[in-house]
Amino acid sequence: VLLKLSLGFTVDGVRGTYAPEFKQSVIDSYCHQQDTAQEVVKKYGISTRTLVKWKKEHQEHCSCGEK
């Protein structure tokens, strides 16, 4: 597993492919800890587009009442 400059982990060195653990940390920060999108994007070094995509994926699999 390679460390990306954005603090996320790539899977098999593929650009833009993050480890499930990293994605879960981002979603926990955004949906469960009530951090704003801007805070999460800056903290984890991901794009807003990536955050929105991951949030949609999360909403499909979780009924936790996230924002």
Side-chain angles (χ1 to χ4, degrees):
V1 178
L2 300 173
L3 180 64
K4 289 187 74 169
L5 294 177
S6 66
L7 303 177
F9 291 92
T10 61
V11 177
D12 297 329
V14 177
R15 180 175 174 229
T17 303
Y18 295 89
E21 297 84 4
F22 177 74
K23 291 169 91 172
Q24 188 61 51
S25 293
V26 172
I27 291 301
D28 286 345
S29 182
Y30 184 55
C31 294
H32 301 271
Q33 296 178 18
Q34 303 300 315
D35 290 343
T36 67
Q38 288 178 330
E39 291 170 335
V40 172
V41 166
K42 184 175 180 181
K43 179 178 178 180
Y44 291 99
I46 62 171
S47 70
T48 303
R49 174 179 270 175
T50 298
L51 179 59
V52 169
K53 178 183 171 191
W54 292 355
K55 180 186 171 199
K56 285 180 183 179
E57 290 173 359
H58 174 73
Q59 288 175 325
E60 293 173 1
H61 299 96
C62 181
S63 60
C64 61
E66 73 287 332
K67 59 180 172 182

